[in-house]
Amino acid sequence: MSEIPEGYEPAENSAAKNHAMDALEAELEKQGVEVYTDDDEGGIDLIDLADAVVEALLSAGVTIPEGISDPHAIKR
């Protein structure tokens, strides 16, 4: 595995965060929680929330498979 520059993360961690963000968004909307609002004061920052969830899992020893697909990847 090649060394990752400082400030970056492995692609699989980024992909896992995108999966977590999608799952959080879907569940919050299902529960009637306003995820996106028109002002800066309301809503939930799903990116930070997904980051926190995945970082907590990584800290607990969960590993993300290297081949995980990214649901937000640009298809070429």
Side-chain angles (χ1 to χ4, degrees):
M1 181 176 171
S2 62
E3 189 171 321
I4 298 176
E6 187 173 333
Y8 289 85
E9 65 184 358
E12 61 268 17
N13 290 10
S14 180
K17 290 175 182 182
N18 285 335
H19 280 285
M21 187 175 69
D22 289 349
L24 289 165
E25 178 181 17
E27 184 59 29
L28 288 167
E29 286 180 349
K30 188 169 112 182
Q31 292 182 24
V33 176
E34 184 69 30
V35 177
Y36 301 106
T37 62
D38 291 335
D39 60 25
D40 292 333
E41 309 258 334
I44 295 172
D45 187 339
L46 289 178
I47 294 171
D48 285 347
L49 188 55
D51 284 351
V53 168
V54 173
E55 291 299 327
L57 291 170
L58 292 169
S59 295
V62 172
T63 57
I64 310 296
E66 286 188 31
I68 188 172
S69 64
D70 186 338
H72 299 262
I74 298 172
K75 308 254 191 293
R76 296 178 194 248

